[in-house]
Amino acid sequence: MSHFCVFGGSTKNQIDRIMTDMKINNIIEDVRSLRGVSAQSDHFLVKAQIQIKLPRKRRKRIIIEEKVDIDNIKNSEMLKEYKNKLKNKLKDGIEAENIETRWKKLEGIIKTALEHLGKKKKVQKHKWFNDKCQRAIEERDKAILLMLTNPNTGNNNNFAQKLREAKRIIRREKRLWEKERIKQIEDNRTNPKLFFKQTKELKTEYNPRKEIMKEENGELVTEGEEIAKQFGKVFKELLNPQTHQDHTQIENYTAEPEDLLEPTDDEVRMTINTLKNNKSPGEGGLASELLKYGGEELIREVGKLIRDVWHKEEIPK
């Protein structure tokens, strides 16, 4: 409730209070009184905006590796150096006892060969924030410190002026950057890749990944392993329905021969060449371009790995 504390002529002071436990006081994001609501009382209704935070187990800290700048592989000299490094490291082949070891060695050789390509530069979050905005923010901070140390009318007015100037400069610089960015997007209409990439930068906002699932009893699951178990349980029930009807055995016939031949290097080469460029790599961080431009030695080792998987019916983790 919002209670009137002091009545002094036409001035009325009020305090907004929300009573919570100290353990969950951080869920309250905003509190305001609704003066327009008629409650026939000397109190005002208080509206609070809260964000419920679900408890979840702490995960281990994951070290994110810097991404390799794949665009540099289009440079003929860097591409030649990448192929030569792979050729020298793979000329004697890879000796491994199992599929997992063979894949780890091959992955390590590829990552070692592409070190000269360099890392991608970190993208600035607010590209419109330049030196002018920085100076305006610094002047505003100096003014507020002066006002706090020596509060008087002059310092208060000076802070209000610096605050207005900082907001005006930031709005202006952001508007100019957006106009220039829109002009660049219009000029790149003939380049679909660059056009959609720049358009996405202007429109897309940050959306946190949501990993929540509800159990049969209504409880929410937030841990990755528990979610995977719940998915497995759901699909097991869907694919194995409990029915009491008699089922007739049905034999399936396919046009495929019983004995399939193992994949050859030509088939591996053809499959790798059909991979699309400019696609996001998987968890290992190996883009499709690294396989396509790796040369015959890399195709030979990938073919050996695939044939091991074919015969042993195992895949590397």
Side-chain angles (χ1 to χ4, degrees), residues 10 24 34 88 92 104 221 236 248 259 304:
S10 60
I24 59 172
L34 304 178
N88 294 332
D92 297 330
K104 289 297 181 183
V221 180
K236 185 176 181 180
T248 304
D259 298 328
K304 290 181 181 179

Side-chain angles (χ1 to χ4, degrees), residues 52-226:
I52 300 177
K53 299 180 180 180
L54 300 175
R56 60 184 304 174
K57 297 180 182 179
R58 289 190 176 183
R59 296 182 178 180
K60 295 181 180 180
R61 186 176 180 182
I62 301 175
I63 300 175
I64 301 176
E65 298 180 359
E66 294 183 351
K67 294 182 180 180
V68 178
D69 194 352
I70 299 297
D71 293 336
N72 290 335
I73 206 172
K74 299 177 182 178
N75 187 313
S76 58
E77 295 181 359
M78 289 189 174
L79 177 59
K80 184 178 179 181
E81 184 177 355
Y82 171 66
K83 286 184 176 181
N84 290 336
K85 286 184 177 181
L86 283 179
K87 185 177 180 180
N88 294 332
K89 291 181 179 296
L90 297 175
K91 62 181 180 180
D92 297 330
I94 297 177
E95 298 296 333
E97 298 177 355
N98 51 52
I99 295 176
E100 186 68 27
T101 306
R102 178 181 291 276
W103 165 243
K104 289 297 181 183
K105 289 183 178 180
L106 181 59
E107 183 184 24
I109 290 173
I110 296 175
K111 289 185 177 180
T112 304
L114 55 83
E115 289 178 351
H116 69 285
L117 296 179
K119 305 295 183 180
K120 278 189 175 182
K121 296 181 180 179
K122 293 184 178 180
V123 180
Q124 184 181 353
K125 186 176 182 180
H126 299 297
K127 297 181 180 180
W128 49 266
F129 193 88
N130 52 24
D131 295 336
K132 294 181 180 179
C133 299
Q134 183 65 33
R135 286 195 297 269
I137 295 296
E138 291 175 356
E139 292 294 331
R140 183 204 64 184
D141 294 342
K142 291 179 182 178
I144 192 172
L145 289 176
L146 184 62
M147 182 188 68
L148 293 175
T149 54
N150 187 14
N152 55 46
T153 305
N155 291 338
N156 293 344
N157 294 337
N158 180 46
F159 167 69
Q161 180 182 356
K162 294 297 182 181
L163 180 61
R164 288 194 298 269
E165 290 179 359
K167 290 182 178 180
R168 179 175 56 82
I169 291 173
I170 290 174
R171 284 197 300 266
R172 183 189 64 195
E173 295 301 322
K174 185 177 181 180
R175 193 180 303 115
L176 292 175
W177 178 83
E178 288 178 346
K179 287 183 179 180
E180 181 64 25
R181 196 65 171 171
I182 292 173
K183 185 177 181 301
Q184 292 179 2
I185 293 174
E186 291 178 350
D187 294 339
N188 292 325
R189 285 179 295 179
T190 56
N191 188 344
K193 176 189 173 184
L194 192 57
F195 176 80
F196 285 105
K197 181 180 179 181
Q198 293 177 345
T199 305
K200 187 178 179 180
E201 290 178 357
L202 287 180
K203 294 182 61 178
T204 306
E205 298 180 354
Y206 173 73
N207 292 319
R209 186 176 179 180
K210 302 177 180 62
E211 297 178 350
I212 301 176
M213 192 172 182
K214 184 181 291 186
E215 293 182 336
E216 295 179 353
N217 56 6
E219 295 183 0
L220 297 179
V221 180
T222 58
E223 190 64 24
E225 295 181 1
E226 297 296 330

